[in-house]
Amino acid sequence: MSFREHISTLNANGDLLPIEQNVHWSDELPVIGAEAARENGPAILFENVPGQTRVVSGAYGGPDQMIPRKKAPWSRLAMAIGLESDVPYDQFVRQLSKIPSDDSLPPQGSLKATPTEVDLYSLGLPAVSAGGPTITLGLLSVSVEGETTWAPVRALVDGHESLIASVPTSLAARLSCDVDVTVALGVPAACLIAAELRWMGETRASDPLQTACLYDDIEIADGLGGAIPASAEGIIDGTISTIDSRQTSPTEAWEKATETTTLKIRVTDLALRDEPIFPFSAVGAPLSDDIHLASIVESVRLLRRVNNYWGVTPVEWIYLPAETRLGMCLVATEILYAGFEWQLANTLFSFSRLFDKVLILDEDTPPGNLARAFDDMWIKAHPSHDWHFSEPQAPAATATTYRRDGTTGSRLFIDATWDPRWDDEFIAPRVDFESSYPEETRSFVRDNWKEMGFSTDSGGS
């Protein structure tokens, strides 16, 4: 599904708010996008921005789960790869956990974008940082050892003909000056997910082009740096002029998961589709698109690594809630033996640098249900023997919003599972509507629910 088709799907589902008023990219655009994300609003299409493009905020974001809602945080991302908006979390993540079984690449197509004479400042990119117009949710295409690879990229516009781009260090180490690259904007979500999955964390992973092809039907075409999605809304070709370790801010969520390096790119050509639409993320704001995207990608990456680590697949699902800004990891798992929860928590900590808290839940915990997870944390886990703190020399987690001075701290894992050594008769049954009231009472409540002033429709998102 192209990015343009995704926006049409959001509109058809009543999850897109077009804004016809003039909104300036330098100050109003990022503020409105950040506030909409914070308040669980719909995706917003800014129709009139000074420049050559329209821009969308919230295309991959979603509401929080602090109250019951009709839509889940991952709904828009699921729709972006052709799934239903109400797909259960565990099914969505397992779909993304698939690994290509062959070397098939996406089929060839023709570029939808055509060359244009406009410069970078004429695009209308939002100024999400003090540095000026910023590219977020971008895709870098570059040839490495004769093969095209994709990687996530965030870039600041530096003058009319250059970009200062942040890319994974493990990729930058394989590049050199004068190498041609292409930055594509408004690409299918499958391509962004596959690119982040390849470069978040220091692990071997499948080729991102093959992975994207597995997720969705996409076509590729030739760009200066290598193959790019044929449906890309905008294409920026250029050449690397400088490689250094300078850091620019604010950072997207994927940058907190891996070391990054800065490339200065001398722009040579620019192409746009007719009436192009660019996505952007209100970087640094709660529930912004980049956090939702990294939440799903890191959850998928960890699920891939943890299952089969012991020769079996005990883990039902893993989730880094966007509501915690990726600072906490929830995992529902079978407890293979006494002490397994300790091994699992430490394995997760060793595989990711984002979080410093792990909440371990029983395998039958509903996926993506924060209310149930946190209920178990308070009810099942006793602070005196189920909350386990490490020594205060643990590396500082990169996604947390505290301890900004780089000092170390403790890690915490909470065991909110029933002890596997207990007999079933000692495990308290879960109390619910069906088991708490006789059938006569339940029938009366169901028949008179609305008349009593209650509703199953939570409203909003």
Side-chain angles (χ1 to χ4, degrees):
M1 179 183 291
S2 70
F3 181 68
R4 185 168 295 208
E5 290 170 337
H6 173 51
I7 297 305
S8 296
T9 302
L10 290 177
N11 189 44
N13 280 269
D15 206 13
L16 181 73
L17 174 65
I19 293 183
E20 301 287 347
Q21 293 91 337
N22 291 326
V23 178
H24 203 276
W25 56 263
S26 65
D27 49 11
E28 298 172 310
L29 192 60
V31 171
I32 295 173
E35 189 62 22
R38 185 182 294 110
E39 296 298 326
N40 302 298
I44 298 180
L45 173 60
F46 298 90
E47 297 275 14
N48 292 300
V49 177
Q52 301 294 316
T53 66
R54 297 171 292 163
V55 293
V56 177
S57 172
Y60 304 127
D64 63 44
Q65 298 180 85
M66 295 299 102
I67 63 173
R69 301 181 189 277
K70 292 181 292 185
K71 295 182 175 66
W74 56 88
S75 292
R76 294 174 199 162
L77 262 177
M79 287 191 291
I81 62 169
L83 302 178
E84 296 295 328
S85 63
D86 59 353
V87 62
Y89 173 77
D90 57 337
Q91 293 183 25
F92 178 40
V93 171
R94 291 190 183 280
Q95 170 71 16
L96 297 178
S97 298
K98 294 179 179 179
I99 298 175
S101 58
D102 54 39
D103 296 333
S104 298
L105 293 175
Q108 287 284 329
S110 57
L111 286 176
K112 304 296 189 294
T114 56
T116 180
E117 297 298 325
V118 302
D119 63 30
L120 297 175
Y121 277 108
S122 300
L123 294 178
L125 295 168
V128 299
S129 72
T134 309
I135 290 172
T136 53
L137 305 175
L139 183 75
L140 180 78
S141 176
V142 62
S143 179
V144 177
E145 299 174 355
E147 298 289 337
T148 296
T149 190
W150 289 341
V153 61
R154 175 186 57 83
L156 297 176
V157 173
D158 182 40
H160 294 275
E161 296 180 347
S162 65
L163 296 172
I164 298 176
S166 178
V167 301
T169 295
S170 49
L171 171 62
R174 302 163 67 181
L175 304 178
S176 60
C177 292
D178 297 326
V179 168
D180 294 329
V181 297
T182 297
V183 175
L185 303 176
V187 300
C191 303
L192 291 179
I193 294 171
E196 289 197 7
L197 190 58
R198 169 62 182 86
W199 297 102
M200 280 176 62
E202 304 300 325
T203 61
R204 293 187 62 185
S206 304
D207 179 87
L209 279 75
Q210 297 170 11
T211 303
C213 180
L214 184 66
Y215 293 159
D216 200 0
D217 294 328
I218 61 172
E219 293 183 340
I220 56 175
D222 293 331
L224 182 67
I228 56 176
S231 66
E233 297 285 325
I235 301 167
I236 303 173
D237 289 326
T239 304
I240 299 174
S241 59
T242 306
I243 302 176
D244 60 36
S245 58
R246 281 188 303 156
Q247 300 298 310
T248 57
S249 61
T251 57
E252 284 192 78
W254 66 265
E255 296 177 80
K256 296 179 173 64
T258 188
E259 297 292 338
T260 59
T261 295
T262 297
L263 308 178
K264 188 166 185 179
I265 300 172
R266 184 176 65 255
V267 175
T268 55
D269 295 288
L270 197 154
L272 298 173
R273 291 188 64 172
D274 185 41
E275 297 185 348
I277 311 173
F278 287 178
F280 84 91
S281 178
V283 177
L287 302 175
S288 56
D289 292 55
D290 62 296
I291 294 178
H292 282 275
L293 190 59
S295 164
I296 295 299
V297 169
E298 187 72 347
S299 300
V300 169
R301 191 181 72 85
L302 291 174
L303 186 65
R304 278 183 172 182
R305 293 206 65 186
V306 169
N307 271 338
N308 289 318
Y309 186 75
W310 291 273
V312 292
T313 56
V315 174
E316 287 295 319
W317 53 265
I318 294 176
Y319 185 35
L320 275 66
E323 295 86 340
T324 69
R325 296 201 185 188
L326 314 183
M328 187 172 193
C329 177
L330 277 56
V331 52
T333 181
E334 176 187 359
I335 302 300
L336 299 177
Y337 44 79
F340 176 73
E341 64 280 359
W342 180 88
Q343 289 186 335
L344 176 59
N346 281 280
T347 301
L348 290 168
F349 284 133
S350 68
F351 285 166
S352 178
R353 56 188 284 176
L354 289 174
F355 49 84
D356 56 6
K357 297 172 289 295
V358 170
L359 176 59
I360 301 178
L361 305 161
D362 281 312
E363 59 182 319
D364 62 349
T365 306
N369 188 330
L370 283 190
R372 165 71 183 272
F374 290 139
D375 277 351
D376 284 3
M377 181 176 71
W378 298 119
I379 295 172
K380 289 185 181 180
H382 195 287
S384 68
H385 51 77
D386 292 321
W387 290 50
H388 303 274
F389 290 88
S390 73
E391 294 298 320
Q393 288 83 34
T398 55
T400 55
T401 56
Y402 45 83
R403 207 163 56 239
R404 296 285 189 178
D405 58 358
T407 58
T408 60
S410 295
R411 287 171 170 166
L412 164 68
F413 84 85
I414 303 169
D415 180 14
T417 65
W418 297 121
D419 193 315
R421 295 167 295 186
W422 289 4
D423 293 331
D424 290 343
E425 62 188 276
F426 296 108
I427 297 177
R430 180 164 295 276
V431 177
D432 54 24
F433 179 70
E434 282 71 22
S435 62
S436 299
Y437 303 96
E439 177 57 33
E440 298 79 15
T441 302
R442 299 201 303 269
S443 297
F444 176 81
V445 170
R446 292 190 191 101
D447 294 340
N448 297 277
W449 187 258
K450 290 185 178 180
E451 292 183 11
M452 290 187 290
F454 298 108
S455 173
T456 56
D457 185 356
S458 61
S461 297

